[in-house]
């Protein structure tokens, strides 16, 4: 379903926000509000019905296009960089920023931390023309902003510097829209199962590597969950079952089911295999108590745990590559732990896959500080910054070479961080379905799964509702094309699914 040209008002509306209506300009708009007095005759109900004249004050929006002048000698330029990253990650990023500012002394990087409100804040800024010069993209809205012409195409700048984006970087597919590089590769987040090796050993549960050779079947996984729960009295696993697109995707695809058909550009939420996979998650893992319930999970935070896994409340936890560094810090020497792939129907290591996400950077197409913003964002994607991120294990860097540097992301502990790189090597990548209303579809899915958890709907009923409502919300101008041929061909690309 194709949209006509987007306005800034539509950008806000599709973000679930309201109240700002501004015309989109092709260049950076500076928004100025002025008041004008409009005299109009309206009907006003008083004790006696009469018609009287009242004065109404309206606000009129004027869009003024600034003309950037040449940079003066000795002038220091401040670049605004927007992000939702927390202070721990910013402290790591600051190491690279200091290197950049030593090389480019007349540019200062001002980091604007938006926290959990960053996505909403960025939507308002994009609509109002007050977005930062550059920053972390909201990948779920990046295509919408790109279609609206709000993100600079960085490919020409990369070509000019000899940067081979398509071959030297891990690309999910969301970075490039209509052959324009609107999201500069920055960091990637594969997902996997963090597990407490010490707890496994104490209850005699098979270790995914020591006993099972680096992969496990769905049946083995359920048996291990049962052993852990019965022996410890604790929940075996922490995974948010309402997040089908993210937390549950690895489990769903491992069972030969899918959430989307990218060739048909449609949802597949009520396909028989998908319904069965969700039933397996809820009926075989959640209902018996192997998966921690939301109330208990919240209680671990009140008890002072950084997360249920690090606090020892669960034996396993779904987490991303972005949790390696913090988990190392939180766990300390309390127990031995490692990271394993998601279970699959076959249990074959040749069928391991992972949901992947990423945080590309963008440069505003409207910034009057284009040259400086581009220089900084390209610096973030190059070796000096990428190697810093790698050594601090912030996540798996987008630059393919960075995780392999001495002391980099793939260096133990833990022993198997390479599980996050494996999907990039094999191409077995699962992604979300990106279109203009992606975030709204996630809310629908979470709502329906909660109904099932409360016993108010069957899985089939919830899946039918999700399929209908999510399908109706598909809206786009440019199609999202996943980088993974395996995903495009799925389930035909998985041997055990063809059997």
């Amino acid at each position: 379903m194709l949209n006509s040209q987007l306005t800034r008002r539509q950008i806000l509306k599709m973000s679930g926000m309201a109240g700002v209506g501004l015309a989109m300009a092709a260049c950076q708009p500076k928004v100025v509000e002025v008041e004008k007095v409009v005299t109009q005759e309206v009907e006003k109900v008083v004790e006696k019905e009469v018609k009287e004249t009242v004065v109404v004050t309206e606000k009129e929006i004027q869009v003024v296009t600034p003309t950037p002048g040449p940079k003066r000698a000795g002038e220091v330029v401040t670049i605004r960089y927007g992000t939702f990253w927390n202070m721990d990650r910013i402290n790591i990023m600051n190491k690279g920023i200091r290197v950049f500012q030593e090389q480019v002394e007349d540019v200062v990087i001002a980091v604007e931390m938006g926290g959990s409100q960053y996505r909403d804040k960025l939507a308002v800024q994009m609509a109002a023309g007050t977005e930062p010069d550059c920053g972390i993209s909201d990948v779920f809205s990046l295509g919408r902003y790109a279609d609206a012409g709000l993100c600079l195409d960085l490919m020409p700048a990369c070509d000019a510097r000899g940067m081979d984006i398509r071959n030297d970087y891990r690309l999910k597919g969301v970075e490039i829209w209509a052959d324009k590089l609107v999201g500069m590769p920055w960091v990637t987040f594969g997902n996997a199962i963090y597990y407490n090796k010490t707890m496994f050993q104490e209850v005699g549960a098979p270790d995914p590597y020591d006993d099972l050779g680096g992969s496990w079947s769905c049946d083995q996984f359920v048996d291990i969950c049962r052993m852990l729960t019965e022996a410890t009295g604790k929940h075996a696993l922490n995974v948010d079952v309402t997040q089908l697109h993210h937390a549950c995707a690895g489990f769903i695809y491992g069972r030969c089911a899918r959430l989307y058909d990218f060739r048909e550009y449609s949802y597949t939420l009520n396909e028989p295999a998908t319904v069965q996979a969700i039933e397996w998650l809820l009926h075989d893992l959640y209902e018996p108590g192997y998966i921690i319930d939301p109330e208990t999970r919240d209680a671990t935070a009140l008890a002072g745990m950084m997360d249920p896994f690090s606090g020892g409340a669960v034996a396993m936890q779904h987490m991303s590559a972005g949790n390696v560094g913090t988990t190392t810090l939180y766990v300390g020497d309390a127990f031995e732990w490692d990271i394993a792939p998601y279970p699959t129907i076959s249990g074959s290591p040749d069928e391991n896959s992972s949901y992947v996400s990423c945080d590309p950077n963008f440069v505003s197409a409207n910034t009057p500080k284009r040259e400086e913003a581009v220089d900084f964002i390209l610096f973030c994607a190059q070796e000096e910054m990428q190697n810093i991120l790698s050594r601090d294990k912030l996540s798996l860097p987008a630059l393919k070479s960075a995780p392999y540097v001495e002391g980099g992301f793939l260096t133990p502990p833990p022993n198997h961080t390479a599980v996050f790189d494996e999907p990039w090597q094999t191409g077995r990548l699962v992604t979300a379905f990106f279109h203009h209303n992606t975030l709204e579809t996630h809310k629908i899915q979470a709502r329906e799964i909660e109904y099932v958890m409360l016993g108010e709907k069957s899985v089939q009923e919830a899946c039918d509702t999700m399929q209908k409502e999510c399908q109706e919300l598909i809206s786009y101008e440019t199609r999202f094309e996943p980088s993974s041929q395996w995903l495009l061909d799925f389930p035909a690309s998985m041997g055990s699914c063809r059997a």
Side-chain angles (χ1 to χ4, degrees):
M1 179 166 55
L2 297 177
N3 278 355
S4 57
Q5 186 177 3
L6 295 173
T7 66
R8 288 189 182 271
R9 180 185 295 275
Q10 289 170 319
I11 290 174
L12 275 183
K13 183 177 180 181
M14 287 186 290
S15 300
M17 309 189 67
V20 179
L22 297 172
M24 183 186 307
C27 51
Q28 168 68 15
K30 178 181 179 183
V31 178
V32 181
E33 290 188 354
V34 296
E35 288 190 350
K36 68 176 182 179
V37 176
V38 180
T39 301
Q40 59 184 19
E41 206 170 70
V42 299
E43 291 188 1
K44 181 179 178 182
V45 177
V46 289
E47 290 186 355
K48 295 181 179 179
E49 290 189 4
V50 297
K51 190 178 289 187
E52 66 179 27
T53 299
V54 299
V55 176
V56 180
T57 301
E58 295 181 348
K59 282 191 175 180
E60 181 181 88
I61 302 299
Q62 296 180 353
V63 179
V64 182
T65 303
T67 303
K71 185 177 175 181
R72 297 186 298 272
E75 179 184 1
V76 175
V77 174
T78 298
I79 297 298
R80 296 167 55 215
Y81 176 87
T83 183
F84 56 80
W85 278 9
N86 60 27
M87 201 62 232
D88 288 341
R89 290 185 178 182
I90 295 300
N91 285 336
I92 295 171
M93 183 182 179
N94 279 339
K95 297 179 183 180
I97 290 177
R98 285 192 288 271
V99 174
F100 174 78
Q101 293 187 161
E102 288 171 0
Q103 298 174 0
V104 188
E105 295 180 353
D106 57 354
V107 175
V108 173
I109 306 301
V111 178
E112 298 179 356
M113 298 171 60
S116 61
Q117 301 302 313
Y118 177 73
R119 178 178 288 122
D120 292 342
K121 177 182 177 181
L122 184 62
V124 173
Q125 290 174 324
M126 286 290 194
T130 58
E131 68 268 22
D133 304 294
C134 54
I136 280 186
S137 304
D138 167 16
V139 291
F140 296 112
S141 301
L142 181 57
R144 178 153 40 88
Y145 298 148
D147 284 340
L150 297 175
C151 300
L152 185 68
D153 180 9
L154 297 170
M155 194 65 83
C158 292
D159 291 342
R161 291 163 174 79
M163 298 172 66
D164 190 344
I165 301 300
R166 296 184 185 273
N167 290 316
D168 293 343
Y169 289 84
R170 295 172 179 83
L171 298 179
K172 177 177 175 176
V174 72
E175 302 88 349
I176 299 176
W177 290 83
D179 292 324
K180 294 181 179 180
L181 182 65
V182 295
M184 189 67 196
W186 174 221
V187 290
T188 68
F189 299 90
N191 289 258
I193 305 297
Y194 286 52
Y195 74 100
N196 185 326
K197 286 180 69 74
T198 300
M199 194 179 295
F200 271 57
Q201 292 165 0
E202 289 173 348
V203 305
D207 185 280
Y209 293 101
D210 300 342
D211 302 307
L212 301 178
S215 61
W216 38 13
S217 71
C218 292
D219 289 342
Q220 289 171 329
F221 188 79
V222 172
D223 288 342
I224 289 171
C225 286
R226 182 184 302 110
M227 291 179 65
L228 289 163
T229 299
E230 291 177 352
T232 65
K234 300 177 180 179
H235 300 279
L237 173 66
N238 179 25
V239 59
D240 187 347
V241 292
T242 68
Q243 290 188 358
L244 297 183
H245 75 283
H246 176 209
C248 297
F251 293 104
I252 290 171
Y253 280 78
R255 292 189 63 83
C256 295
R258 59 182 181 171
L259 299 171
Y260 328 104
D261 182 338
F262 288 101
R263 295 193 184 282
E264 296 297 326
Y265 222 63
S266 66
Y267 286 89
T268 55
L269 294 164
N270 65 346
E271 283 189 346
T274 306
V275 174
Q276 291 167 14
I278 297 172
E279 287 177 338
W280 176 77
L281 273 168
L282 294 177
H283 298 331
D284 290 26
L285 291 172
Y286 181 77
E287 289 178 4
Y290 305 149
I291 295 177
I292 192 171
D293 57 275
E295 293 79 12
T296 306
R297 184 169 56 233
D298 292 343
T300 64
L302 292 174
M305 297 182 190
M306 299 304 295
D307 62 76
F309 178 75
S310 299
V314 295
M316 297 180 286
Q317 183 161 301
H318 150 85
M319 287 194 283
S320 79
N323 298 105
V324 171
T326 53
T327 302
T328 302
L329 176 65
Y330 297 158
V331 172
D333 58 2
F335 55 83
E336 185 181 0
W337 61 282
D338 209 341
I339 307 171
Y342 292 96
T344 63
I345 286 287
S346 67
S348 168
D350 294 330
E351 296 192 341
N352 291 341
S353 64
S354 172
Y355 172 84
V356 297
S357 56
C358 60
D359 285 342
N361 283 319
F362 76 94
V363 173
S364 168
N366 302 316
T367 175
K369 305 170 184 177
R370 178 176 297 187
E371 181 179 347
E372 293 83 1
V374 169
D375 285 346
F376 176 63
I377 292 305
L378 266 59
F379 170 85
C380 288
Q382 293 174 308
E383 283 189 358
E384 287 175 296
M385 177 69 91
Q386 291 282 295
N387 289 348
I388 287 171
L389 302 180
S390 179
R391 292 192 175 98
D392 278 276
K393 296 192 174 182
L394 187 149
S395 185
L396 187 72
L399 182 64
K400 290 180 179 179
S401 62
Y404 297 90
V405 299
E406 184 178 356
F409 183 84
L410 297 179
T411 304
N415 290 329
H416 292 93
T417 49
V419 72
F420 293 119
D421 194 35
E422 180 184 352
W424 297 101
Q425 300 291 338
T426 64
R428 295 193 291 267
L429 306 171
V430 177
T431 76
F433 184 15
F434 296 101
H435 54 80
H436 291 177
N437 296 319
T438 295
L439 288 172
E440 294 306 309
T441 67
H442 293 169
K443 296 174 184 176
I444 292 169
Q445 294 165 32
R447 180 198 71 204
E448 292 301 309
I449 296 300
E450 285 176 354
Y451 284 146
V452 178
M453 294 166 68
L454 293 171
E456 297 180 9
K457 282 190 175 184
S458 69
V459 172
Q460 183 68 63
E461 289 170 335
C463 287
D464 287 340
T465 300
M466 288 189 291
Q467 176 66 22
K468 179 179 183 298
E469 294 188 13
C470 291
Q471 192 69 19
E472 290 173 350
L473 284 175
I474 296 176
S475 174
Y476 62 92
E477 288 188 11
T478 303
R479 280 196 176 199
F480 165 66
E481 296 292 340
S483 63
S484 168
Q485 187 64 40
W486 177 89
L487 181 60
L488 288 168
D489 295 339
F490 189 88
S493 54
M494 200 157 161
S496 62
C497 299
R498 296 195 300 268

